[in-house]
Amino acid sequence: MWQYRTPGIPDELFERVEEVPITKEEVRVVQVSKGRLSAGNVVYDVGCGSGSVSVEASYQIGPTGKVFSIDIDPKAIELTKKNLSKFGILNVSVILGNAKEKISELPKLMQFLSEVLGEILLI
């Protein structure tokens, strides 16, 4: 669906629901660019909301990378899954639960990037 390797998928291409926030395109571009993602990276999208950051990150890390999308809201998890399916993304694991509890079950972190509207944790 998205034919480019650069971040910046327009917001209107994502499925949306009123109750679940989306990280705006301009913020996603900065997050993903500053994260300097490359093939094979592992990304944690904490508070994934609509899954827009997960989708953008997935395109950057390619099929050899892995994204873990975590949210405590079942509506966000459902919406993230819809957007992953819409964009044909296969390298993302969607996790329902409290990030503080779930992160301890995932691979150890080496680098941390925080933004106002969300967090991406990279190893």
Side-chain angles (χ1 to χ4, degrees), residues 6 11 22 47 95 117:
T6 56
D11 291 342
I22 185 171
I95 302 165
L117 297 176

Side-chain angles (χ1 to χ4, degrees), residues 20-85:
V20 178
I22 185 171
T23 302
K24 298 294 184 196
E25 175 185 352
E26 294 80 4
V27 176
R28 289 192 311 272
V29 168
V30 171
Q31 286 179 316
V32 173
S33 297
K34 290 291 188 176
R36 290 167 177 64
L37 302 177
S38 59
N41 281 148
V42 175
V43 176
Y44 292 5
D45 182 4
V46 178
C48 60
S50 67
S52 61
V53 172
S54 296
V55 169
E56 295 266 18
S58 175
Y59 277 114
Q60 298 304 306
I61 64 174
T64 60
K66 184 74 175 174
V67 177
F68 294 95
S69 303
I70 307 168
D71 208 295
I72 200 163
D73 181 358
K75 290 179 185 174
I77 293 298
E78 182 181 329
L79 185 57
T80 293
K81 288 178 179 179
K82 283 182 184 176
N83 279 315
L84 294 171
S85 178

Side-chain angles (χ1 to χ4, degrees), residues 42-48 54 66-71 77 91-110 119-123:
V42 175
V43 176
Y44 292 5
D45 182 4
V46 178
C48 60
S54 296
K66 184 74 175 174
V67 177
F68 294 95
S69 303
I70 307 168
D71 208 295
I77 293 298
N91 63 340
V92 177
S93 291
V94 182
I95 302 165
L96 174 64
N98 183 309
K100 288 182 181 180
E101 297 166 3
K102 296 297 181 178
I103 283 179
S104 65
E105 301 169 12
L106 301 176
K108 201 168 188 172
L109 300 172
M110 293 174 61
E119 296 177 352
I120 304 174
L121 306 175
L122 312 171
I123 63 167

